[in-house]
Amino acid sequence: MEQLFKAGVFCNAHNTAYKRLLVLRRGKFINCGQLSNGRMYYYLTPRGGEAVGLTVPWYSKIYRNAGVDVVLKHLVACDFALALGVEYLPRREVLDRLMAADYDVLAGCFRSSDLFFEKDGQLNVLVVDYQYSLKYLAERVRLYSRLPPEVRGQLVVNFLVFSETRQKRVLQLAADAGVRVKVLRANWKY
């Protein structure tokens, strides 16, 4: 529900929002699931997607039997995009920009769940720390530092972490990376 308020879908009272969501659920335009902490999440059904002009019902397949990890990853990605006012770039467009890199680097960039967006004329990558090991985060820094210099000059690697300790550790890992790195600490609670 908070996600919908952040996105500006609702700007009135919570009771009114819940009533509207109930009407959409009864009309089979949306469905909902429940996280282990009891919070509800909502997703479009194929019928709802058609109503808003989406033709591919991938969203319904992803969330129908989604575990907490899938929902959490998408919530974090949506909250980050809303907070920064960015839209993620399609993988095809990013691939076109990174074509100067060798195949192993490209495969590493696209095999992960990293997201790409453009801000202030620069390509940005978002690496979210879902409590991965620091070794994994160091590997992400090394991977992006292997891009050709002309691509690295146009790239900013953004790490999104959820604790101050983690923020300091990632900054230490990225100190001599050869690529611009920002480490952002989110104060969101899920």
Side-chain angles (χ1 to χ4, degrees), residues 37 59 92 154 181:
N37 65 4
Y59 41 82
R92 182 82 208 149
Q154 302 283 325
V181 173

Side-chain angles (χ1 to χ4, degrees), residues 81-97:
L82 287 170
L84 265 66
V86 297
E87 289 186 24
Y88 296 113
L89 295 171
R91 296 268 173 162
R92 182 82 208 149
E93 185 177 332
V94 176
L95 180 62
D96 290 343
R97 292 187 188 194

Side-chain angles (χ1 to χ4, degrees), residues 7-122:
V9 174
F10 295 119
C11 24
N12 37 13
H14 275 73
N15 285 346
T16 305
Y18 279 116
K19 288 177 186 174
R20 289 181 180 165
L21 287 172
L22 187 60
V23 168
L24 290 171
R25 280 186 64 198
R26 287 183 181 150
K28 299 191 190 292
F29 291 105
I30 63 171
N31 241 333
C32 72
Q34 189 169 13
L35 299 175
S36 57
N37 65 4
R39 293 182 71 179
M40 303 295 285
Y41 63 91
Y42 300 90
Y43 60 93
L44 285 172
T45 63
R47 182 176 178 182
E50 288 173 12
V52 295
L54 298 176
T55 55
V56 182
W58 59 267
Y59 41 82
S60 183
K61 292 176 187 172
I62 289 175
Y63 297 116
R64 184 176 298 128
N65 298 310
V68 68
D69 59 329
V70 171
V71 175
L72 184 65
K73 286 178 181 181
H74 286 234
L75 282 174
V76 170
C78 288
D79 281 345
F80 181 84
L82 287 170
L84 265 66
V86 297
E87 289 186 24
Y88 296 113
L89 295 171
R91 296 268 173 162
R92 182 82 208 149
E93 185 177 332
V94 176
L95 180 62
D96 290 343
R97 292 187 188 194
L98 300 181
M99 282 306 288
D102 71 18
Y103 178 77
D104 291 337
V105 175
L106 283 176
C109 291
F110 288 97
R111 205 176 299 131
S112 69
S113 59
D114 298 347
L115 298 165
F116 297 88
F117 61 95
E118 192 166 21
K119 186 163 177 138
D120 301 328
Q122 289 192 313

Side-chain angles (χ1 to χ4, degrees), residues 107-182:
C109 291
F110 288 97
R111 205 176 299 131
S112 69
S113 59
D114 298 347
L115 298 165
F116 297 88
F117 61 95
E118 192 166 21
K119 186 163 177 138
D120 301 328
Q122 289 192 313
L123 180 63
N124 285 255
V125 61
L126 173 64
V127 180
V128 182
D129 175 22
Y130 296 111
Q131 299 303 308
Y132 296 136
S133 69
L134 286 173
K135 180 181 174 185
Y136 173 82
L137 299 176
E139 287 172 4
R140 301 310 302 159
V141 172
R142 275 194 300 276
L143 173 75
Y144 289 109
S145 66
R146 288 176 46 208
L147 288 168
E150 63 275 7
V151 175
R152 270 196 325 252
Q154 302 283 325
L155 183 73
V156 178
V157 181
N158 298 274
F159 285 89
L160 182 64
V161 298
F162 294 90
S163 74
E164 189 174 339
T165 306
R166 201 74 160 172
Q167 183 180 28
K168 290 176 183 175
R169 292 287 297 150
V170 174
L171 281 170
Q172 290 171 350
L173 292 171
D176 300 320
V179 65
R180 279 179 283 179
V181 173
K182 289 183 184 177

